Amino acid sequence: MVSHAEPDSKPPRIVVLTAQGALSRIVVNGLAARLGPLTVISEQPESKGEILRRRIRLLGPVRAAGQVALSFALRLDPKRKARYQRVLETHRLDASPDNPAVTLHSVPSVNSDACRDLLTKLAPAVVAVYGTRLLKRATLQAVDAPFINYHAGITPKYRGQDPGYWALATGDAGNAGVTIHLVDEGVDTGAVLYQAQVTFDPRDTIATYQYVQAATALPLFVRAIEDALAGRLTPRRVDLPSQKWFPPTLWGYLATGLTRGVW
């Protein structure tokens, strides 16, 4: 991606708020390929220590340790890179870091003064969101524009993390999918714009589900952004139970894989 220190002189109609990583690059590159040049504000990642402390506070030390153990185990999977490459090639996903159609600005956090000041200067007509921290009210009110998020799960039933995995792990494959929704102050609780079911390859695992989901989500994300620009957003509420999910523990993941064949 291309980085510039100052906003372009012509206000962009679309600004993307995102984080770092391959999934974010895939989403940004996919949007740029369909919508044209984009202005992106990327936040720096939280430290592993911050993430661990929050999980301990929310879930307790044992469950948090189990989640950390799973993340290490997944990195040791000898087939991980091959699976990842297969998904990119099958779904024609672009994870490259350099895209001349993208103007990139870096901020400490999407909730920082730097991000809010930049949003104010850019004055976009719509803000697309993917993979960031939970947006606080001050950020959502920084510009008079809709904030539209892509979530790799069917909301409100599968809010939070690893939603595709949890739908499969609980025997609810019909609700393994993606949601494009308006952003509010909750965790994936905003009104729904578009949803779609996703079917996975038997070779997919928790390490690749979200890449497959991105391929289905991108056209819907583009449609929602175009709807916002045209003033035709039609948000709706979905009649499903609401639950927030967290990453599985290593022992839970192994038990589900061995008993249900969901990895």
Side-chain angles (χ1 to χ4, degrees), residues 226-233:
E226 291 175 336
D227 288 347
L229 294 174
R232 58 171 184 256
L233 287 174

Side-chain angles (χ1 to χ4, degrees), residues 106-180:
S106 181
V107 296
S109 162
V110 288
N111 294 311
S112 64
D113 289 338
C115 181
R116 289 191 284 267
D117 290 345
L118 189 52
L119 281 172
T120 301
K121 292 176 182 177
L122 292 168
V126 58
V127 181
V129 183
Y130 176 71
T132 69
R133 294 171 174 84
L134 187 66
L135 297 182
K136 294 183 178 179
R137 181 179 300 179
T139 301
L140 293 172
Q141 295 179 345
V143 290
D144 184 19
F147 286 69
I148 298 175
N149 183 62
Y150 155 43
H151 174 65
I154 296 293
T155 64
K157 193 172 186 180
Y158 294 98
R159 300 184 293 110
Q161 296 171 284
D162 296 308
Y165 166 81
W166 284 117
L168 298 177
T170 56
D172 191 20
N175 280 312
V178 298
T179 298
I180 311 298

Side-chain angles (χ1 to χ4, degrees), residues 25-194:
R25 293 195 300 271
I26 285 169
V27 171
V28 168
N29 290 338
L31 292 180
R34 293 164 172 84
L35 294 168
L38 289 178
T39 298
V40 175
I41 301 175
S42 177
E43 69 174 2
Q44 297 173 6
E46 291 183 279
S47 70
K48 291 182 174 60
E50 289 174 317
I51 295 172
L52 180 59
R53 285 191 291 272
R54 183 172 63 252
R55 290 187 181 178
I56 290 173
R57 185 174 67 254
L58 291 172
L59 305 171
V62 174
R63 192 170 168 190
Q67 293 171 341
V68 172
L70 176 60
S71 67
F72 279 111
L74 292 174
R75 292 177 194 174
L76 299 176
D77 179 2
K79 297 181 180 180
R80 181 171 64 95
K81 290 185 177 179
R83 289 192 182 106
Y84 167 73
Q85 198 59 42
R86 173 184 57 81
V87 171
L88 294 189
E89 293 172 357
T90 299
H91 298 281
R92 299 180 181 178
L93 300 173
D94 180 7
S96 59
D98 298 312
N99 187 335
V102 174
T103 300
L104 180 66
H105 304 273
S106 181
V107 296
S109 162
V110 288
N111 294 311
S112 64
D113 289 338
C115 181
R116 289 191 284 267
D117 290 345
L118 189 52
L119 281 172
T120 301
K121 292 176 182 177
L122 292 168
V126 58
V127 181
V129 183
Y130 176 71
T132 69
R133 294 171 174 84
L134 187 66
L135 297 182
K136 294 183 178 179
R137 181 179 300 179
T139 301
L140 293 172
Q141 295 179 345
V143 290
D144 184 19
F147 286 69
I148 298 175
N149 183 62
Y150 155 43
H151 174 65
I154 296 293
T155 64
K157 193 172 186 180
Y158 294 98
R159 300 184 293 110
Q161 296 171 284
D162 296 308
Y165 166 81
W166 284 117
L168 298 177
T170 56
D172 191 20
N175 280 312
V178 298
T179 298
I180 311 298
H181 65 89
L182 294 176
V183 181
D184 58 19
E185 294 181 67
V187 179
D188 306 317
T189 52
V192 170
L193 299 171
Y194 293 104

